Amino acid sequence: MSAAPAPSDARPLRIATNRRRADPARRVRDVLRGQILDGAFGDGALPYERDLSQKLGVTRNVVRDALDLLRREGLIERIPGAGTFVVAHKSSQGLDQLRGLAETFTGSEDWVVNQVLAAEITGAPAFVADRLGLGAGDPVVFIERLRHLRGQPLSLDASYLDASVAAGLLDEDLVANDVYVLLERELGLPLASAELSIEAVSADASTAALLGVVAGSPLLLLERLAMLDDGRPIDFEFVRYRGDRLSLTAHLDRSH
Amino acid sequence: MSAAPAPSDARPLRIATNRRRADPARRVRDVLRGQILDGAFGDGALPYERDLSQKLGVTRNVVRDALDLLRREGLIERIPGAGTFVVAHKSSQGLDQLRGLAETFTGSEDWVVNQVLAAEITGAPAFVADRLGLGAGDPVVFIERLRHLRGQPLSLDASYLDASVAAGLLDEDLVANDVYVLLERELGLPLASAELSIEAVSADASTAALLGVVAGSPLLLLERLAMLDDGRPIDFEFVRYRGDRLSLTAHLDRSH
């Protein structure tokens, strides 16, 4: 990119405040990464290194370093004698509205199936009770599910729900349905909103084994508290998504 | 938690659909994790294992496994002979509004300082040009900065801006200011909104070195396209936050 012609109205460049220069491979990585996730490479094959080098105005070494970063991230694979191919398929879920996973991915090719690891009534730990507006030790429904999208593991979800209103969930089909949908349709508990926090964390060994990734892989962690329309908190959950399979999208306004 | 008394109205438990049981250490980890991030442990010291075991109704082995997960995540440290201490300090930024980092953290203890790694005019790669509504090779301002909050590295930000309107940024103080604030206050370009995507990725070696983490550490990656009030895209950026230092928060409505 440094080979691009300077615009006629270019101002004198500000000298960077120290000598540590931006790494051009990082820039090229970001650009190729965006194209890959946009699905810009038709049959999944990336152009040759020399073509990328020419197109991006950087040396072949920089292209090679950028491709190496993308390979380590699991987005591409190099097949000797054949080329470099896109192997990542990232789905995206909008933060515009509170939706369950199966509600988000409803296309005929986007089926969601859940493996139920736990579904039981237990006593609420103090921290969970506090979020749900209960007393420590009060009965809560605990549900842990490994969720698959298109037959591939996507997330590990653990939910705590006030058992005094949600115990009926244990009689429902947790393999095929979102908890939100079951609460509304089967238990007659309309949801109004949720508060969530989003973090990036490493997969611990047991979570990694369930999700089919190497321990230490990056995960998106959502902590989400859903409220009923009367304001009562009903569902406190921890969702760990495979970082290579999901992105969240949002629209922000500057002021409101 | 399985030792908690069953509620009087407990229903017969649904048998999990396979034999792989939820790992109780994962549950306890989530609960302690939430308390740590909430700042529940006054002077930073966690209770003794036997007290946690009693309080949470699980064996000491489960508590030990959960603490081990939290130590690997970098949230706590065990100091032999002294106890287990909280070492994480996670800041949170709301997704309710488009704000720069320095606008978000404005308290007297929350100063933001940026180390400028690159600030120059270059040719837009096709993918970047496309997002900014420019032609490939058109001049863009490229700014890469390592951003520090309270003297600690927080994020590595790379921005591309349409040079025909934003070249003046290169004359401004990029060490102390948010790009958004400079665009509005110094260049008279009011921002209206942004589209963003949020991912969890691993730190590559050079990003890790800049951010002061081990290569492979989890990062929150934001790709964000900011628009002017006339709808024109102006700033396309990639922000990589240290996963152990930042969480994003949001409020979602069920329908709107």
Side-chain angles (χ1 to χ4, degrees):
Chain A
M1 288 177 286
S2 50
S8 54
D9 64 344
R11 292 151 185 257
L13 297 187
R14 165 177 274 259
I15 302 303
T17 53
N18 79 6
R19 302 255 151 216
R20 213 167 195 174
R21 300 293 300 158
D23 175 351
R26 284 204 304 269
R27 292 197 214 185
V28 171
R29 182 264 318 270
D30 282 342
V31 166
L32 289 174
R33 193 176 191 285
Q35 289 185 282
I36 288 169
L37 296 178
D38 270 6
F41 303 107
D43 61 352
L46 262 67
Y48 292 119
E49 283 178 10
R50 66 165 177 278
D51 296 335
L52 287 173
S53 148
Q54 224 164 15
K55 210 166 208 170
L56 296 167
V58 296
T59 66
R60 283 185 66 169
N61 275 340
V62 167
V63 168
R64 208 167 292 131
D65 288 351
L67 292 176
D68 196 48
L69 292 175
L70 293 168
R71 210 176 56 243
R72 283 161 192 264
E73 205 188 317
L75 292 182
I76 60 173
E77 254 174 35
R78 195 171 300 189
I79 298 173
T84 300
F85 296 86
V86 175
V87 292
H89 301 284
K90 217 159 191 168
S91 302
S92 76
Q93 184 167 28
L95 291 176
D96 53 326
Q97 205 182 338
L98 179 61
R99 270 187 304 264
L101 194 67
E103 289 179 297
T104 304
F105 300 104
T106 51
S108 56
E109 294 182 348
D110 285 340
W111 75 99
V112 172
V113 173
N114 312 309
Q115 181 181 344
V116 181
L117 304 177
E120 62 197 36
I121 291 183
T122 181
F127 169 70
V128 170
D130 190 52
R131 295 295 173 105
L132 289 173
L134 302 173
D138 280 358
V140 284
V141 174
F142 177 74
I143 296 171
E144 187 174 47
R145 302 189 299 176
L146 182 61
R147 313 199 69 179
H148 294 74
L149 178 64
R150 294 176 219 111
Q152 302 286 334
L154 178 68
S155 69
L156 181 63
D157 298 17
S159 288
Y160 294 89
L161 301 103
D162 181 350
S164 70
V165 291
L169 277 182
L170 299 176
D171 298 326
E172 300 297 336
D173 177 5
L174 296 169
V175 171
N177 294 295
D178 290 334
V179 163
Y180 294 163
V181 171
L182 292 173
L183 287 173
E184 294 190 330
R185 287 202 206 146
E186 305 304 327
L187 304 188
L189 296 166
L191 297 168
S193 64
E195 300 297 333
L196 79 161
S197 82
I198 304 164
E199 300 174 69
V201 299
S202 289
D204 59 81
S206 83
T207 300
L210 289 164
L211 288 172
V213 294
V214 172
S217 294
L219 306 178
L220 265 180
L221 168 59
L222 262 65
E223 191 189 289
R224 187 164 48 190
L225 180 66
M227 262 77 67
L228 295 174
D229 61 0
D230 62 7
R232 255 188 313 166
I234 174 76
D235 182 9
F236 183 45
E237 37 173 358
F238 303 90
V239 183
R240 284 176 167 79
Y241 293 103
R242 277 180 60 155
D244 61 342
R245 295 253 165 94
L246 192 97
S247 66
L248 299 168
T249 58
H251 173 94
L252 301 188
D253 288 314
R254 178 66 172 154
S255 54
H256 57 182
Chain B
M1 287 178 288
S2 52
S8 54
D9 64 341
R11 291 153 185 257
L13 296 186
R14 165 176 274 258
I15 302 302
T17 53
N18 80 8
R19 301 258 152 215
R20 211 167 197 174
R21 299 294 299 159
D23 176 349
R26 284 204 304 269
R27 291 197 214 184
V28 171
R29 181 264 319 269
D30 282 343
V31 166
L32 289 175
R33 196 178 188 283
Q35 289 185 283
I36 288 169
L37 296 177
D38 271 5
F41 302 107
D43 60 352
L46 263 67
Y48 290 119
E49 283 178 9
R50 68 165 176 277
D51 296 334
L52 288 172
S53 150
Q54 221 164 17
K55 209 165 208 171
L56 296 166
V58 295
T59 66
R60 283 185 68 167
N61 275 340
V62 168
V63 168
R64 207 168 291 130
D65 288 351
L67 293 176
D68 196 47
L69 293 174
L70 293 168
R71 209 176 55 241
R72 282 160 194 264
E73 205 189 316
L75 292 183
I76 59 172
E77 255 174 36
R78 194 171 303 188
I79 298 173
T84 299
F85 295 87
V86 176
V87 292
H89 301 283
K90 219 160 188 166
S91 303
S92 76
Q93 183 166 29
L95 290 175
D96 53 324
Q97 203 182 339
L98 178 61
R99 271 187 303 262
L101 194 68
E103 288 179 298
T104 303
F105 300 104
T106 51
S108 56
E109 292 181 351
D110 285 341
W111 74 99
V112 171
V113 172
N114 312 308
Q115 181 181 345
V116 181
L117 304 177
E120 63 198 34
I121 291 184
T122 182
F127 169 71
V128 170
D130 191 52
R131 295 296 173 101
L132 289 173
L134 302 174
D138 281 358
V140 284
V141 174
F142 177 74
I143 297 171
E144 189 174 47
R145 301 190 297 177
L146 181 63
R147 313 198 69 178
H148 294 73
L149 178 63
R150 293 177 220 110
Q152 301 285 334
L154 177 68
S155 69
L156 181 63
D157 297 18
S159 287
Y160 293 89
L161 301 105
D162 181 349
S164 71
V165 292
L169 276 182
L170 299 177
D171 299 325
E172 300 296 338
D173 176 4
L174 295 168
V175 172
N177 294 296
D178 290 334
V179 163
Y180 293 163
V181 171
L182 292 173
L183 288 173
E184 295 191 327
R185 287 201 205 146
E186 305 303 326
L187 305 187
L189 296 167
L191 297 168
S193 64
E195 299 297 333
L196 78 162
S197 82
I198 303 164
E199 299 173 69
V201 299
S202 289
D204 59 79
S206 84
T207 301
L210 288 165
L211 288 173
V213 295
V214 172
S217 295
L219 306 178
L220 265 181
L221 169 59
L222 261 66
E223 192 189 289
R224 186 165 48 187
L225 181 66
M227 262 76 69
L228 296 175
D229 60 0
D230 61 6
R232 258 188 310 167
I234 175 75
D235 183 9
F236 183 43
E237 39 174 355
F238 303 90
V239 183
R240 284 175 168 81
Y241 292 103
R242 278 180 60 154
D244 61 342
R245 294 253 165 94
L246 192 97
S247 66
L248 299 168
T249 59
H251 173 94
L252 300 187
D253 287 315
R254 178 67 171 153
S255 55
H256 58 182

